[in-house]
Amino acid sequence: MNSTVSPIACKVNNVFIHVSDLKKSAEWYSDLLGLPFNKEEVNSPVYNVPVTSETGLTLDDHTFDPGFKLKPSNHVLFNFFVQDIDEAYQFIKNKGIIVVKEIERIGDFAYFNFKDLDGNVLMICNC
């Protein structure tokens, strides 16, 4: 393997989620994460969800790309961290969000998968 120094930082900087309705998706993700939401702050083509981690979360409706065709991912795009997997699972179920994989427990690790408004598969896990 080549031992040259890479100019690319060893961290994920931002995650993009492609959406069909930016305002609805911004409100949905804000509600999911318990964040305040102001529809007036959402301006196409992107909305940066105000997450509190190093990695950002951007919703993108591709307003300036008329040829773009949304193809929701059937594979997990990323995961949200939780302390209590059972509490998070009940929260998701109470919101009527579609769970596509029930809680899987592997030792102390547990996760489940669900869909966003556009059908993208996301994960919640405790590690």
Side-chain angles (χ1 to χ4, degrees):
M1 179 172 239
N2 191 340
S3 63
T4 60
V5 175
S6 173
I8 301 167
C10 187
K11 76 175 204 171
V12 174
N13 188 53
N14 202 57
V15 173
F16 280 80
I17 299 179
H18 306 284
V19 300
S20 58
D21 186 317
L22 190 62
K23 287 190 188 254
K24 278 186 181 176
S25 291
E27 185 172 18
W28 188 88
Y29 276 90
S30 294
D31 182 58
L32 178 73
L33 299 173
L35 299 170
F37 178 72
N38 180 348
K39 192 182 288 191
E40 303 307 315
E41 294 176 359
V42 180
N43 297 303
S44 191
V46 297
Y47 176 73
N48 293 309
V49 178
V51 293
T52 58
S53 66
E54 256 188 57
T55 303
L57 178 60
T58 299
L59 307 178
D60 187 347
D61 70 3
H62 290 270
T63 296
F64 301 128
D65 185 3
F68 179 80
K69 294 199 183 344
L70 181 64
K71 296 178 187 163
S73 175
N74 289 322
H75 304 284
V76 173
L77 294 175
F78 63 91
N79 69 54
F80 288 110
F81 171 76
V82 297
Q83 300 258 343
D84 185 328
I85 197 76
D86 297 300
E87 178 183 22
Y89 179 84
Q90 200 55 55
F91 177 80
I92 292 292
K93 293 294 279 186
N94 289 345
K95 290 196 165 292
I97 297 172
I98 298 169
V99 172
V100 294
K101 180 164 182 60
E102 295 295 321
I103 297 175
E104 179 89 21
R105 297 176 196 274
I106 306 164
D108 291 338
F109 173 71
Y111 72 96
F112 66 92
N113 300 345
F114 64 102
K115 287 188 176 186
D116 75 359
L117 288 177
D118 287 298
N120 291 301
V121 177
L122 308 174
M123 177 189 286
I124 290 180
C125 69
N126 66 350
C127 291

